[in-house]
Structure formats: C-alpha cells, structure tokens
Amino acid sequence: GRFVHRDANVEKQAMGRAAGSAQWASGCVISDKYKFAYIHILKSGGSATKEFLKKSLCGEDDIDCKRVDPRVVRPIVCKEIPTKHPDYFTFSFVRNPFSRMYSMYSMMDGFPRQKGGHVVIDTVSFSKFVMTEPNKRIAFTKMNSAHYWAQTDFIFSKNSCPSFDFLGRVDQFDQDMRTILEHLNATEMIDYL
C-alpha cells in the first residue's frame, strides 16, 4: 500500500462518482473514535474489509454493530466523507483488475435478469462479458451498474485528485491493514487480522 503525499494547501476533494448508501452492504465506513473513513470500492474486498472492521470494533457477537456507540464505527454515505470529515484519515483497497472483472462475472448468477416474472437464463461467456461495454453489461444481470465502474471512479475526484490518504491492495490486505492500524494508533485491532 501507499500513503498519499498532499501539500498542505491541497484539500481532499469529493470522489468523482460515489456509490453506496449509509448501509453496511454498499456504503463506506467511518469511525469518530479513530478518526478514519473507509471508502468501499465495489468488488474490491469491501465486504471482507467491513467484516474485519465490524469484528475488531464491535466484537464477534455484534455483527451489525447495533450494541456499540455509533461514534466507534458506522456505515456512511460515501460522498459525505470529504465534505463532512475532511480531517479524517481516509483509506481504501484496490484489487487486481483481472481478478475484479472475474468477481463481477461470477456475481452475475446472484442477480439474474427477469422477464415476465421468470428468471432469464442467458449463458454469457466470460470473454463476452469482458468485451461488452460496462454500461451495456446491465443486459446480463440486474446487479447495480456501479459494480462496473473503474476503481479510480470511487477514489479520485473529477479533477483526478485522490480522495484518500492511503491506498492498500487486496492481495496484501493483512500487511496494508496493519500499516493503517499502526498509523491510526489502533493497534488493539491488529489481533483480529
């Protein structure tokens, strides 16, 4: 992973496109206690990252963090992070684009198209899926089209400025998350890696 160097006069800007609602599934995550925000890039380890954050901050028996003060950790609408929490340490994880594409393809089965109330079984080869323009892949599945956005759309502003302070890699999650937690002085969370 890499830290972003930002000159003192350059502020974080809003993401170019922000997906997700204030829900655990697709939303981003914030902690007022540790002053961090996690940007969930769809199909880039977001579910696993949020499971780690919930388990390490809420305990293994509170899977939706309902018994924990919301200032410890909670889901947030992603586009609110740079404007409402500009001083929070913001991080995200990216995934190998080929692995991410295959994950999108594999996820299609869980979101089949329906026609007249019946599931449409349309066998789409992986090569056809890859070669189809992202905005036209919706013909294969009812999965939200935000899953097809480029990873950069989630973490860079319209002016190509990063909206994050640290960018980790899914394939080295434990190492990069350890770096993040040490930076945040949240070392008690390391035991959950």
Side-chain angles (χ1 to χ4, degrees):
R2 298 280 183 250
F3 286 95
V4 172
H5 172 75
R6 190 179 281 105
D7 290 333
N9 61 341
V10 177
E11 295 179 7
K12 281 187 252 182
Q13 297 179 16
M15 301 87 144
R17 295 168 97 175
S21 59
Q23 311 256 338
W24 283 111
S26 63
C28 292
V29 176
I30 194 155
S31 171
D32 299 315
K33 177 181 179 180
Y34 291 103
K35 305 247 182 276
F36 76 72
Y38 164 66
I39 300 172
H40 180 178
I41 298 174
L42 299 178
K43 305 310 300 166
S44 294
S47 295
T49 302
K50 288 190 271 191
E51 286 305 311
F52 166 76
L53 293 172
K54 290 191 292 185
K55 184 169 54 172
S56 63
L57 292 170
C58 304
E60 299 194 40
D61 62 334
D62 188 7
I63 58 170
D64 288 324
C65 297
K66 293 186 188 280
R67 295 189 301 264
V68 173
D69 184 327
R71 291 173 294 194
V72 173
V73 65
R74 68 184 181 282
I76 187 174
V77 175
C78 298
K79 67 181 176 182
E80 293 178 359
I81 293 171
T83 54
K84 291 188 176 181
H85 307 282
D87 297 331
Y88 280 26
F89 181 79
T90 305
F91 66 94
S92 191
F93 286 87
V94 290
R95 186 175 190 173
N96 174 299
F98 299 106
S99 171
R100 184 171 183 254
M101 182 64 74
Y102 191 76
S103 179
M104 287 178 217
Y105 174 74
S106 298
M107 192 174 176
M108 275 192 331
D109 287 343
F111 296 88
R113 269 271 171 234
Q114 294 189 3
K115 193 172 191 175
H118 300 288
V119 173
V120 177
I121 307 295
D122 183 19
T123 305
V124 178
S125 69
F126 181 61
S127 62
K128 181 176 180 179
F129 180 80
V130 170
M131 298 308 291
T132 301
E133 292 178 42
N135 61 341
K136 294 184 179 172
R137 288 188 193 126
I138 197 71
F140 306 139
T141 177
K142 65 179 184 174
M143 182 169 54
N144 186 305
S145 63
H147 288 85
Y148 305 129
W149 294 352
Q151 294 177 91
T152 53
D153 289 349
F154 292 90
I155 54 175
F156 285 89
S157 72
K158 291 179 182 170
N159 300 329
S160 299
C161 292
S163 300
F164 57 89
D165 299 302
F166 183 88
L167 189 60
R169 293 179 19 197
V170 171
D171 61 323
Q172 53 188 49
F173 178 83
D174 287 2
Q175 176 184 341
D176 288 344
M177 183 56 81
R178 180 179 299 274
T179 300
I180 292 164
L181 296 175
E182 288 171 353
H183 177 80
L184 294 168
N185 199 26
T187 53
E188 70 278 6
M189 293 170 63
I190 291 174
D191 292 340
Y192 291 89
L193 285 174

